[in-house]
Amino acid sequence: MNDIICPNCKKVFKVDEAGFADILRQVRDHQFEEELHERLEIAEKEKESAVKLAEANMKNSTQADIAKKDRELAELKAEKDRELGELLTKKESEIASMKSKIDNAETEKKFAITEATNKIEKERDGLVSELKSKEIEKQLLEKSLNEKFSAELKTKDDIIKMKDEEIALRKDMKIKLSTKMVGETLEQHCETEFNKLRATGFQNAYFEKDSDSRGGSKGDYIYRESDKSGNEIISIMFEMKNEGDDTATKHRNEDFLRELDKDRVEKKCEYAVLVTLLEAENDLYNIGIVDVSYKYPKMYVIRPQFFIQIITLLRNAAMNSLKYKAELALVKNQNIDITNFEDNINKFKEGFARNFGLASQKFKTAIEEIDKTIDHLQKTRAALLSSDNNLRLANDKAEDLTIKKLTRGNPTMTAKFAELANVNKSTEKY
């Protein structure tokens, strides 16, 4: 307990420690708030004073800078006016000098013109005389050229006549060519174009005529290419179509698309390409490579000049997907190996089950035969035992058999055996 004296009535109060601490805290908080309020008022006053002082300093500094800048501008203006005056004076003197030079140049120019005119007149007179001689030479040359042109024209007419005869002959031969022969000419063109690049660009490619007609029809050429691992990169079925200009029945490209798609599927080719000279006036087929996959999958129609380009384009596209094809082939091979392994296990199980069934059946048959044999042997044993007993009884009976027993009740046999006995005795004496 603590004693607290009231400052007014001087009375003493008893306050415990908790109450004393609470009173002390209240006194301290009140004192702290008063000091804080005083310090805040002082800081606010100092802040206002500092702001006023800074404003005054800034105003004085700004006025001084403005006055300084005004002085500098005045000095700069005066210096520029002086330099401009000097420059004007200098330019005026230069203009006067240039005027004098121009006057001198004008005089020199008039003199040079006079000299040049005299020289030109002399050259003109020389050129006139030379022109006359050239005119004579020209007339002679024209006459010579006319004679030469007449001879060349006659020769040209003869050549044109020979060319016309050659064209007529070629046209007649083309009319006589069959459609098959015309088509073979286009095939030879494509094969030649391919063989030009085979050694450099298509070293691992197969490009040969389709000779397999087991399905009822065949294409013209098959292109196949594989990588070093044997994975097929691309395969294309080619059909070449052409006809003579004077062929009576004109064919259309669409007439051959269905059969080409059939050949592609039968020969297991990925793409089909119709190389055609048909419908020569059709703008659709003259623009370049025509994709007709909206009718038949992976099929294109081209003119012969795009033959190598279509192979290159399709081949480059296939090369990009070769990695995925190789991975797909690997997965397929793994699946085939797993399938073959499962098939081998199933075959082994089926063979083992079949052999086990046959062996079990044979074993059962053998057991049955053994049981039958055992039963037969037991019967034979019983028969042998019975025979042995009968033989023993017969032996006992045979041993028990005597002459006396045999002749009992039979006087004739008794007499005969008696006589036989007497004969035996008489023989023994002698």
Side-chain angles (χ1 to χ4, degrees), residues 31 92 98 149 151 176 264 266 325 333 356 373 375:
Q31 185 179 0
E92 287 176 354
M98 291 297 292
F149 179 75
K176 293 178 180 178
R264 178 189 71 84
E266 288 181 354
K325 285 186 177 180
N333 290 332
F356 179 80
T373 303
D375 184 56

Side-chain angles (χ1 to χ4, degrees), residues 378-388:
Q378 286 178 348
K379 290 180 180 179
T380 303
R381 179 175 177 275
L384 290 173
L385 291 174
S386 176
S387 176
D388 180 66

Side-chain angles (χ1 to χ4, degrees), residues 37-55:
H37 184 68
E38 290 176 358
R39 288 181 181 275
L40 287 174
E41 289 180 351
I42 293 170
E44 187 68 25
K45 290 178 180 179
E46 290 178 353
K47 176 183 175 182
E48 291 177 357
S49 300
V51 169
K52 290 179 180 179
L53 180 61
E55 288 177 351

